[in-house]
Amino acid sequence: MTLPNKKVFYVVNSFLAGFSIMVVELISSRIVAPILGATVFTWTSVIGLTLLGLAIGGWVGGKVADSVKSNRPLPIALLASALSVALIPKFAEYTSFITDASNSILVLNLLLSFYLFFIPACAIGTIQPLLLKKYADTFSSIGTKYGTLSAAWSIGSMLGVFLTGFFLISVIGSTETIWLISSMLFLLGITYVFSDTSLLLIFIATLLSTVVLYSVTTTPSQKNVLFEKETNYYSTKVIDTVLPTLGESRILFLDLDIHGVEPTHSNLLTYFDMQPVFSYIKDEIKDILVLGGGAYLLPRHFSEYYQDAHVTVIETDPEMIPIANEFFNLQQYPITTVITDARLYMQKNQGTYDVIYGDTFNSYISVPWYLLTTEWNAQVRERLNKDGIYAINFISSLDGDGAELAKSITNTFKQTFPNYYVFLFGKGSTAVQNIVLVGINGDNILSEKELMKRLGQDGHTQLARTVASRESIGNSSVILTDDFSPIERLMSPLLKDYFPNNVRQIRQIMTERNI
């Protein structure tokens, strides 16, 4: 087979190789998120190991280009790239040996990124020097030739980022995008090989072996999955299952974590059930703003308890609305949803509220740090009516190595809201649990003992027990600001035991319950 214009074809190859590596790099975080969650450690590991792979691949490709005189290295490099990319989704189904290897979220992200993405990055990295060897006729024009290929690679990378982020992930999904890139690399390689019978046989054998591998390792069907979709923000799944403490329940999974559990019958108290507290702090509650929708369990509780109040929800992912409508009965409640980022909403909207409730954590290991800072707290206070309430839910422990996160968040919170309460929804001070801080935009507040007494007198005995002393959370020297908010470092000790236990529990739900 003779290429009609080899020079142009080599530039196109460089463009598509750059396109491929950035698509794979962007998709990689979506593949890791359902396994380990999405944190700064995820992106750091993926980007760092991708760059290392490209560097090693470039070095190897350069050595091969100078030492091997035949035309085979380039199509073989494209074949290796296609094969290694195609196997990423399949390898992602077998990661328990990695998640069981360490209790460190940082180490696990490095191991998983190496396992899934290092080899594809190396393979794609070999392509550029092999192309340059063919594209450059003479050494006198090597600068121009390299610049042309490099520009094509960079433009392809840019378009790969835009097309993946704005279109491919939400329209065809991560796995299908990976297959698209693999097929493209395969077709690029096969254009070189019709004149070489041995190479053609290698390509055919590789294609057949890949198909066989996928067919014999097909993932079992998931019986109790009601809904599954990859949105622009999450890998989303709704399931019905039986939980040990809650019984029959409907669960919303976003990536790795559970973002809503609605049991059929349960008397277990959660932070979703603390709506009565606010009526003891503020006499009249007419406007409520909830930051974070998910399964809409918290907004629904507000709407049920304060039936005369207007409830507005800020949600970043528009796909949560139809999911909540279909599977969590959202359509039965007079709740308004605004699709935007919470901080952007606060900057643009001038309305004020009686209650603002922050429930925006992406998962137990992925915290929007910019919604915890002193600057953010000040913005929230400006949007509160007199004696208005700002509540924020987060996950931490009170004692031990994992308590530093709670200390920092609380120390930051009380800079803006010196009058506040602490509510604990867990067992024991060292337990990883939901902690809710409730700040008051005013000076007239009940003492902790008086609040507990009134709740108990009105039949809210369980809720009264969740009120904790402000001194139960110690002080921290770290005050979170827009300039300095080391959330990942503060959370690391907390995750040593909690993360692997949570992963094992989720895996147990998925396997033992035939999900």
Side-chain angles (χ1 to χ4, degrees), residues 40 46 69 119 134 154 162 177 189 283 300 310 400 469 480 512:
V40 69
V46 166
K69 303 305 180 184
I119 297 302
K134 290 181 169 294
S154 297
F162 288 152
T177 301
D283 292 333
R300 283 170 43 199
H310 180 244
S469 168
L480 305 174
E512 292 187 1

mmCIF file with all atom_site columns, all heavy atoms in Angstrom, residues 40 46 69 119 134 154 162 177 189 283 300 310 400 469 480 512:
data_model
loop_
_atom_site.group_PDB
_atom_site.id
_atom_site.type_symbol
_atom_site.label_atom_id
_atom_site.label_alt_id
_atom_site.label_comp_id
_atom_site.label_asym_id
_atom_site.label_entity_id
_atom_site.label_seq_id
_atom_site.pdbx_PDB_ins_code
_atom_site.Cartn_x
_atom_site.Cartn_y
_atom_site.Cartn_z
_atom_site.occupancy
_atom_site.B_iso_or_equiv
_atom_site.pdbx_formal_charge
_atom_site.auth_seq_id
_atom_site.auth_comp_id
_atom_site.auth_asym_id
_atom_site.auth_atom_id
_atom_site.pdbx_PDB_model_num
ATOM 1   N N   . VAL A 1 40  ? -7.670  15.556  44.479 1.00 0.00 ? 40  VAL A N   1
ATOM 2   C CA  . VAL A 1 40  ? -6.481  16.138  43.869 1.00 0.00 ? 40  VAL A CA  1
ATOM 3   C C   . VAL A 1 40  ? -5.411  15.067  43.681 1.00 0.00 ? 40  VAL A C   1
ATOM 4   O O   . VAL A 1 40  ? -4.591  15.137  42.758 1.00 0.00 ? 40  VAL A O   1
ATOM 5   C CB  . VAL A 1 40  ? -5.946  17.319  44.715 1.00 0.00 ? 40  VAL A CB  1
ATOM 6   C CG1 . VAL A 1 40  ? -5.366  16.833  46.023 1.00 0.00 ? 40  VAL A CG1 1
ATOM 7   C CG2 . VAL A 1 40  ? -4.914  18.139  43.938 1.00 0.00 ? 40  VAL A CG2 1
ATOM 8   N N   . VAL A 1 46  ? -2.625  10.719  37.881 1.00 0.00 ? 46  VAL A N   1
ATOM 9   C CA  . VAL A 1 46  ? -2.880  10.475  36.463 1.00 0.00 ? 46  VAL A CA  1
ATOM 10  C C   . VAL A 1 46  ? -1.969  11.331  35.588 1.00 0.00 ? 46  VAL A C   1
ATOM 11  O O   . VAL A 1 46  ? -1.314  10.830  34.664 1.00 0.00 ? 46  VAL A O   1
ATOM 12  C CB  . VAL A 1 46  ? -4.359  10.746  36.130 1.00 0.00 ? 46  VAL A CB  1
ATOM 13  C CG1 . VAL A 1 46  ? -4.567  10.823  34.626 1.00 0.00 ? 46  VAL A CG1 1
ATOM 14  C CG2 . VAL A 1 46  ? -5.245  9.670   36.732 1.00 0.00 ? 46  VAL A CG2 1
ATOM 15  N N   . LYS A 1 69  ? 16.204  0.076   11.072 1.00 0.00 ? 69  LYS A N   1
ATOM 16  C CA  . LYS A 1 69  ? 16.113  0.696   9.748  1.00 0.00 ? 69  LYS A CA  1
ATOM 17  C C   . LYS A 1 69  ? 14.834  0.338   8.997  1.00 0.00 ? 69  LYS A C   1
ATOM 18  O O   . LYS A 1 69  ? 14.512  0.954   7.980  1.00 0.00 ? 69  LYS A O   1
ATOM 19  C CB  . LYS A 1 69  ? 17.320  0.272   8.899  1.00 0.00 ? 69  LYS A CB  1
ATOM 20  C CG  . LYS A 1 69  ? 18.661  0.607   9.530  1.00 0.00 ? 69  LYS A CG  1
ATOM 21  C CD  . LYS A 1 69  ? 18.768  2.090   9.864  1.00 0.00 ? 69  LYS A CD  1
ATOM 22  C CE  . LYS A 1 69  ? 20.124  2.423   10.487 1.00 0.00 ? 69  LYS A CE  1
ATOM 23  N NZ  . LYS A 1 69  ? 20.200  3.840   10.905 1.00 0.00 ? 69  LYS A NZ  1
ATOM 24  N N   . ILE A 1 119 ? 1.329   2.229   30.846 1.00 0.00 ? 119 ILE A N   1
ATOM 25  C CA  . ILE A 1 119 ? 1.710   1.526   29.610 1.00 0.00 ? 119 ILE A CA  1
ATOM 26  C C   . ILE A 1 119 ? 1.106   2.187   28.376 1.00 0.00 ? 119 ILE A C   1
ATOM 27  O O   . ILE A 1 119 ? 1.810   2.401   27.369 1.00 0.00 ? 119 ILE A O   1
ATOM 28  C CB  . ILE A 1 119 ? 1.323   0.034   29.684 1.00 0.00 ? 119 ILE A CB  1
ATOM 29  C CG1 . ILE A 1 119 ? 2.097   -0.659  30.815 1.00 0.00 ? 119 ILE A CG1 1
ATOM 30  C CG2 . ILE A 1 119 ? 1.586   -0.656  28.349 1.00 0.00 ? 119 ILE A CG2 1
ATOM 31  C CD1 . ILE A 1 119 ? 3.608   -0.575  30.680 1.00 0.00 ? 119 ILE A CD1 1
ATOM 32  N N   . LYS A 1 134 ? 10.815  9.648   10.096 1.00 0.00 ? 134 LYS A N   1
ATOM 33  C CA  . LYS A 1 134 ? 10.325  9.487   8.740  1.00 0.00 ? 134 LYS A CA  1
ATOM 34  C C   . LYS A 1 134 ? 10.030  10.828  8.071  1.00 0.00 ? 134 LYS A C   1
ATOM 35  O O   . LYS A 1 134 ? 10.186  10.994  6.867  1.00 0.00 ? 134 LYS A O   1
ATOM 36  C CB  . LYS A 1 134 ? 9.055   8.635   8.745  1.00 0.00 ? 134 LYS A CB  1
ATOM 37  C CG  . LYS A 1 134 ? 9.285   7.170   9.085  1.00 0.00 ? 134 LYS A CG  1
ATOM 38  C CD  . LYS A 1 134 ? 7.989   6.396   9.047  1.00 0.00 ? 134 LYS A CD  1
ATOM 39  C CE  . LYS A 1 134 ? 8.229   4.906   9.127  1.00 0.00 ? 134 LYS A CE  1
ATOM 40  N NZ  . LYS A 1 134 ? 8.946   4.377   7.945  1.00 0.00 ? 134 LYS A NZ  1
ATOM 41  N N   . SER A 1 154 ? 0.161   19.196  19.563 1.00 0.00 ? 154 SER A N   1
ATOM 42  C CA  . SER A 1 154 ? -0.445  20.094  20.555 1.00 0.00 ? 154 SER A CA  1
ATOM 43  C C   . SER A 1 154 ? -1.867  20.494  20.173 1.00 0.00 ? 154 SER A C   1
ATOM 44  O O   . SER A 1 154 ? -2.758  20.553  21.030 1.00 0.00 ? 154 SER A O   1
ATOM 45  C CB  . SER A 1 154 ? 0.419   21.345  20.729 1.00 0.00 ? 154 SER A CB  1
ATOM 46  O OG  . SER A 1 154 ? 1.695   21.003  21.228 1.00 0.00 ? 154 SER A OG  1
ATOM 47  N N   . PHE A 1 162 ? -11.115 19.447  24.565 1.00 0.00 ? 162 PHE A N   1
ATOM 48  C CA  . PHE A 1 162 ? -12.410 20.108  24.376 1.00 0.00 ? 162 PHE A CA  1
ATOM 49  C C   . PHE A 1 162 ? -13.500 19.112  23.969 1.00 0.00 ? 162 PHE A C   1
ATOM 50  O O   . PHE A 1 162 ? -14.619 19.126  24.506 1.00 0.00 ? 162 PHE A O   1
ATOM 51  C CB  . PHE A 1 162 ? -12.300 21.212  23.328 1.00 0.00 ? 162 PHE A CB  1
ATOM 52  C CG  . PHE A 1 162 ? -11.546 22.422  23.794 1.00 0.00 ? 162 PHE A CG  1
ATOM 53  C CD1 . PHE A 1 162 ? -10.866 23.233  22.893 1.00 0.00 ? 162 PHE A CD1 1
ATOM 54  C CD2 . PHE A 1 162 ? -11.502 22.765  25.131 1.00 0.00 ? 162 PHE A CD2 1
ATOM 55  C CE1 . PHE A 1 162 ? -10.177 24.356  23.315 1.00 0.00 ? 162 PHE A CE1 1
ATOM 56  C CE2 . PHE A 1 162 ? -10.818 23.888  25.574 1.00 0.00 ? 162 PHE A CE2 1
ATOM 57  C CZ  . PHE A 1 162 ? -10.150 24.689  24.659 1.00 0.00 ? 162 PHE A CZ  1
ATOM 58  N N   . THR A 1 177 ? -15.667 5.920   24.560 1.00 0.00 ? 177 THR A N   1
ATOM 59  C CA  . THR A 1 177 ? -14.642 6.848   24.067 1.00 0.00 ? 177 THR A CA  1
ATOM 60  C C   . THR A 1 177 ? -13.282 6.169   24.002 1.00 0.00 ? 177 THR A C   1
ATOM 61  O O   . THR A 1 177 ? -12.515 6.367   23.041 1.00 0.00 ? 177 THR A O   1
ATOM 62  C CB  . THR A 1 177 ? -14.563 8.090   24.976 1.00 0.00 ? 177 THR A CB  1
ATOM 63  O OG1 . THR A 1 177 ? -15.842 8.732   25.007 1.00 0.00 ? 177 THR A OG1 1
ATOM 64  C CG2 . THR A 1 177 ? -13.526 9.071   24.468 1.00 0.00 ? 177 THR A CG2 1
ATOM 65  N N   . GLY A 1 189 ? -2.541  2.469   12.310 1.00 0.00 ? 189 GLY A N   1
ATOM 66  C CA  . GLY A 1 189 ? -1.450  1.510   12.145 1.00 0.00 ? 189 GLY A CA  1
ATOM 67  C C   . GLY A 1 189 ? -1.639  0.594   10.969 1.00 0.00 ? 189 GLY A C   1
ATOM 68  O O   . GLY A 1 189 ? -0.684  0.282   10.246 1.00 0.00 ? 189 GLY A O   1
ATOM 69  N N   . ASP A 1 283 ? -37.805 31.857  64.719 1.00 0.00 ? 283 ASP A N   1
ATOM 70  C CA  . ASP A 1 283 ? -39.259 31.740  64.830 1.00 0.00 ? 283 ASP A CA  1
ATOM 71  C C   . ASP A 1 283 ? -39.940 31.511  63.490 1.00 0.00 ? 283 ASP A C   1
ATOM 72  O O   . ASP A 1 283 ? -40.820 30.677  63.359 1.00 0.00 ? 283 ASP A O   1
ATOM 73  C CB  . ASP A 1 283 ? -39.846 33.007  65.491 1.00 0.00 ? 283 ASP A CB  1
ATOM 74  C CG  . ASP A 1 283 ? -39.441 33.121  66.947 1.00 0.00 ? 283 ASP A CG  1
ATOM 75  O OD1 . ASP A 1 283 ? -39.187 32.070  67.565 1.00 0.00 ? 283 ASP A OD1 1
ATOM 76  O OD2 . ASP A 1 283 ? -39.343 34.257  67.450 1.00 0.00 ? 283 ASP A OD2 1
ATOM 77  N N   . ARG A 1 300 ? -36.258 17.444  50.397 1.00 0.00 ? 300 ARG A N   1
ATOM 78  C CA  . ARG A 1 300 ? -37.595 16.886  50.590 1.00 0.00 ? 300 ARG A CA  1
ATOM 79  C C   . ARG A 1 300 ? -38.003 16.931  52.058 1.00 0.00 ? 300 ARG A C   1
ATOM 80  O O   . ARG A 1 300 ? -39.153 17.246  52.384 1.00 0.00 ? 300 ARG A O   1
ATOM 81  C CB  . ARG A 1 300 ? -37.638 15.453  50.077 1.00 0.00 ? 300 ARG A CB  1
ATOM 82  C CG  . ARG A 1 300 ? -37.726 15.334  48.560 1.00 0.00 ? 300 ARG A CG  1
ATOM 83  C CD  . ARG A 1 300 ? -37.514 13.911  48.115 1.00 0.00 ? 300 ARG A CD  1
ATOM 84  N NE  . ARG A 1 300 ? -38.240 12.980  48.960 1.00 0.00 ? 300 ARG A NE  1
ATOM 85  C CZ  . ARG A 1 300 ? -37.961 11.676  49.033 1.00 0.00 ? 300 ARG A CZ  1
ATOM 86  N NH1 . ARG A 1 300 ? -36.976 11.176  48.304 1.00 0.00 ? 300 ARG A NH1 1
ATOM 87  N NH2 . ARG A 1 300 ? -38.659 10.895  49.824 1.00 0.00 ? 300 ARG A NH2 1
ATOM 88  N N   . HIS A 1 310 ? -40.507 28.238  51.055 1.00 0.00 ? 310 HIS A N   1
ATOM 89  C CA  . HIS A 1 310 ? -40.054 28.005  49.681 1.00 0.00 ? 310 HIS A CA  1
ATOM 90  C C   . HIS A 1 310 ? -38.650 27.420  49.726 1.00 0.00 ? 310 HIS A C   1
ATOM 91  O O   . HIS A 1 310 ? -37.732 28.024  50.288 1.00 0.00 ? 310 HIS A O   1
ATOM 92  C CB  . HIS A 1 310 ? -40.051 29.308  48.881 1.00 0.00 ? 310 HIS A CB  1
ATOM 93  C CG  . HIS A 1 310 ? -39.597 29.122  47.462 1.00 0.00 ? 310 HIS A CG  1
ATOM 94  N ND1 . HIS A 1 310 ? -38.458 29.698  46.956 1.00 0.00 ? 310 HIS A ND1 1
ATOM 95  C CD2 . HIS A 1 310 ? -40.138 28.393  46.446 1.00 0.00 ? 310 HIS A CD2 1
ATOM 96  C CE1 . HIS A 1 310 ? -38.316 29.341  45.697 1.00 0.00 ? 310 HIS A CE1 1
ATOM 97  N NE2 . HIS A 1 310 ? -39.315 28.560  45.370 1.00 0.00 ? 310 HIS A NE2 1
ATOM 98  N N   . GLY A 1 400 ? -8.486  11.738  67.882 1.00 0.00 ? 400 GLY A N   1
ATOM 99  C CA  . GLY A 1 400 ? -7.519  10.942  67.147 1.00 0.00 ? 400 GLY A CA  1
ATOM 100 C C   . GLY A 1 400 ? -6.923  11.687  65.968 1.00 0.00 ? 400 GLY A C   1
ATOM 101 O O   . GLY A 1 400 ? -7.159  12.893  65.780 1.00 0.00 ? 400 GLY A O   1
ATOM 102 N N   . SER A 1 469 ? -21.282 19.502  72.836 1.00 0.00 ? 469 SER A N   1
ATOM 103 C CA  . SER A 1 469 ? -20.642 20.707  73.340 1.00 0.00 ? 469 SER A CA  1
ATOM 104 C C   . SER A 1 469 ? -19.677 21.256  72.292 1.00 0.00 ? 469 SER A C   1
ATOM 105 O O   . SER A 1 469 ? -19.002 20.497  71.584 1.00 0.00 ? 469 SER A O   1
ATOM 106 C CB  . SER A 1 469 ? -19.866 20.382  74.625 1.00 0.00 ? 469 SER A CB  1
ATOM 107 O OG  . SER A 1 469 ? -19.024 21.447  74.978 1.00 0.00 ? 469 SER A OG  1
ATOM 108 N N   . LEU A 1 480 ? -9.010  27.887  57.165 1.00 0.00 ? 480 LEU A N   1
ATOM 109 C CA  . LEU A 1 480 ? -9.106  27.671  55.725 1.00 0.00 ? 480 LEU A CA  1
ATOM 110 C C   . LEU A 1 480 ? -9.466  28.977  55.019 1.00 0.00 ? 480 LEU A C   1
ATOM 111 O O   . LEU A 1 480 ? -10.425 29.650  55.385 1.00 0.00 ? 480 LEU A O   1
ATOM 112 C CB  . LEU A 1 480 ? -10.167 26.613  55.439 1.00 0.00 ? 480 LEU A CB  1
ATOM 113 C CG  . LEU A 1 480 ? -9.976  25.279  56.170 1.00 0.00 ? 480 LEU A CG  1
ATOM 114 C CD1 . LEU A 1 480 ? -11.173 24.374  55.930 1.00 0.00 ? 480 LEU A CD1 1
ATOM 115 C CD2 . LEU A 1 480 ? -8.688  24.594  55.736 1.00 0.00 ? 480 LEU A CD2 1
ATOM 116 N N   . GLU A 1 512 ? -22.404 -9.550  47.331 1.00 0.00 ? 512 GLU A N   1
ATOM 117 C CA  . GLU A 1 512 ? -23.283 -10.424 48.087 1.00 0.00 ? 512 GLU A CA  1
ATOM 118 C C   . GLU A 1 512 ? -24.744 -10.172 47.788 1.00 0.00 ? 512 GLU A C   1
ATOM 119 O O   . GLU A 1 512 ? -25.580 -11.050 47.904 1.00 0.00 ? 512 GLU A O   1
ATOM 120 C CB  . GLU A 1 512 ? -23.028 -10.254 49.590 1.00 0.00 ? 512 GLU A CB  1
ATOM 121 C CG  . GLU A 1 512 ? -21.662 -10.760 50.021 1.00 0.00 ? 512 GLU A CG  1
ATOM 122 C CD  . GLU A 1 512 ? -21.499 -10.727 51.525 1.00 0.00 ? 512 GLU A CD  1
ATOM 123 O OE1 . GLU A 1 512 ? -22.452 -10.340 52.221 1.00 0.00 ? 512 GLU A OE1 1
ATOM 124 O OE2 . GLU A 1 512 ? -20.413 -11.106 51.993 1.00 0.00 ? 512 GLU A OE2 1
#
